[in-house]
Amino acid sequence: MAVNLDRFPRQQLGFFPTPIQILPRLSRELGIEVWAKRDDIGSGLAFGGNKTRKLEWLIPDALAQGCDTLVSIGGVQSNHTRQVAAAAAATGLKCRLAQEHWAPWEEPVYDKVGNILLSRLMGARTEMTSTPAGEGFAVDLEGSLQETADRVRLEGGAPYVIPAGASDHPLGGLGYVEFANEVERQEADLDVFFDTVVTATGTGSTQAGMVVGFAGQERPREVIGIDTLADPDETRRLVTKIARATADLVQSRKPIDDEAIIVDGRFAGPAYGVPNDGTIEAIRMGAELEAMITDPVYEGKSLAGLIAMARSGEIPRGSRVLYVHLGGVPALDAYYRAFD
Ligand SMILES: *Cc1c(COP(=O)(O)O)cnc(C)c1O
């Protein structure tokens, strides 16, 4: 049974349902059946991605509170802050973004192209924070975020504060609860069942929402989160916290067991925002076999995890796997050197 979300207001920002496609050439290569859920292309807003699905449930709250400025935080090449900028532009709100140097990636155009360029084009004010490069991914950057909100208030604005990844927010898990409902409906249409779902995981509410949504359904399946923070214990803590809070919010009858939260840390190294050899190989395989483009920060790592687990037999032959593509391609140009 699908989790009922009728009592939560939703502002449409994307085109849903997003398509599910089989990846025939990658499937043949790996000996499992791989399908992709294309949340990377499901949005009319500035290239979309998973934050668009989440923000649909936060925007009505911002409007109900009478806020006029969305305030958020992310890395310099954050897909999240670009999607906040898009949501603000599309709903007539202002946007102020704190951009942190989380990823230790030195590149003269890193803060000029890709996501940050798009955010600026959409009218967002982007403010570089002074955190030194390579401090790693820090979700709990209450400091920078609150300071940014304070500056909006000083200027007479009414900020609506959205944490990193729109994750650690009371409504942050709802988008991917609805995602699980959407997948169940598409499975009925396609007459298939995905026993394994592979997703990138970072600030946590994507995986957390899925776990809550899928837990409410009849047939059990495994959701494998591939860590991208290079800090799997912290990632698991975030996913677990958000999953439990979201389960309470939607009044789920199923408790979220620790075993339901699978976070695999093997594919994230050497650091958040920095690809490894497996990441680059996976990006090339997705592109050459399926013309499916992935990025070095998130989806290249989750695809590398899927490929490695299929090759090792951890995902057994004959499995039917749903690879969830959450976006991220706008960051690719900032990483051109990784493909030289
Ligand atoms: C944010 C993001 C993720 C991680 O999602 P979380 O909800 O933060 O765990 C994965 N892929 C892409 C492209 C993202 O932008």
Side-chain angles (χ1 to χ4, degrees):
M1 253 238 328
V3 176
N4 189 321
L5 299 177
D6 287 348
R7 69 190 177 88
F8 300 99
R10 176 179 184 182
Q11 162 83 46
Q12 196 198 328
L13 298 174
F15 299 136
F16 298 108
T18 57
I20 291 183
Q21 62 174 159
I22 191 161
L23 301 177
R25 303 188 68 221
L26 187 66
S27 297
R28 214 169 304 137
E29 179 77 22
L30 298 178
I32 58 174
E33 208 176 281
V34 188
W35 298 63
K37 172 79 168 151
R38 299 300 300 268
D39 269 20
D40 58 320
I41 58 169
S43 170
L45 297 189
F47 305 110
N50 63 336
K51 311 312 181 303
T52 302
R53 198 185 270 281
K54 302 183 198 184
L55 289 167
E56 290 199 338
W57 306 83
L58 273 66
I59 296 298
D61 187 42
L63 297 174
Q65 290 184 26
C67 297
D68 62 13
T69 308
L70 301 184
V71 173
S72 198
I73 189 164
V76 173
Q77 281 299 332
S78 163
N79 303 299
H80 163 71
T81 49
R82 183 249 312 153
Q83 288 167 87
V84 172
T91 54
L93 297 167
K94 287 184 275 214
C95 184
R96 179 103 55 127
L97 302 170
Q99 314 277 179
E100 302 266 333
H101 290 280
W102 283 331
W105 190 264
E106 296 302 328
E107 175 58 59
V109 296
Y110 196 73
D111 61 354
K112 303 277 189 293
V113 302
N115 281 305
I116 197 158
L117 169 63
L118 296 170
S119 299
R120 289 172 179 151
L121 266 180
M122 292 183 281
R125 214 160 122 183
T126 56
E127 297 175 341
M128 297 294 169
T129 59
S130 51
T131 316
E135 283 298 277
F137 192 100
V139 171
D140 196 8
L141 278 161
E142 276 301 296
S144 303
L145 191 56
Q146 292 308 333
E147 282 165 27
T148 309
D150 286 344
R151 281 198 294 280
V152 171
R153 274 185 211 101
L154 272 175
E155 292 165 19
Y160 185 79
V161 176
I162 301 174
S167 274
D168 195 6
H169 179 288
L171 304 171
L174 294 180
Y176 277 83
V177 175
E178 172 56 22
F179 169 96
N181 295 345
E182 189 176 295
V183 169
E184 190 181 42
R185 289 191 294 270
Q186 288 176 302
E187 285 177 324
D189 289 344
L190 293 164
D191 197 22
V192 294
F193 178 77
F194 301 108
D195 43 61
T196 307
V197 177
V198 174
T199 181
T201 189
T203 61
S205 63
T206 298
Q207 185 178 355
M210 281 182 199
V211 166
V212 173
F214 286 132
Q217 298 174 2
E218 209 104 313
R219 276 176 82 171
R221 64 178 111 219
E222 202 157 76
V223 178
I224 301 176
I226 306 293
D227 176 43
T228 58
L229 301 190
D231 189 352
D233 292 339
E234 173 65 2
T235 307
R236 189 175 301 105
R237 186 188 71 78
L238 292 166
V239 174
T240 307
K241 175 183 170 202
I242 298 165
R244 299 227 157 103
T246 303
D248 283 347
L249 180 70
V250 302
Q251 296 168 344
S252 167
R253 280 156 297 141
K254 288 259 184 72
I256 304 298
D257 304 326
D258 287 344
E259 300 80 68
I261 312 287
I262 302 171
V263 174
D264 193 326
R266 289 175 293 171
F267 308 99
Y272 170 75
V274 180
N276 57 59
D277 291 346
T279 322
I280 300 299
E281 189 208 353
I283 292 172
R284 290 196 192 280
M285 268 180 83
E288 289 174 11
L289 291 174
E290 299 288 354
M292 184 178 78
I293 308 301
T294 53
D295 73 289
V297 183
Y298 295 106
E299 311 311 297
K301 289 182 177 175
S302 58
L303 191 57
L306 167 68
I307 291 167
M309 288 187 283
R311 284 176 175 163
S312 70
E314 286 168 79
I315 297 178
R317 287 198 158 253
S319 300
R320 185 174 279 149
V321 179
L322 187 65
Y323 170 74
V324 187
H325 191 325
L326 299 172
V329 167
L332 192 59
D333 282 350
Y335 283 89
Y336 71 93
R337 244 182 335 102
F339 304 94
D340 270 356

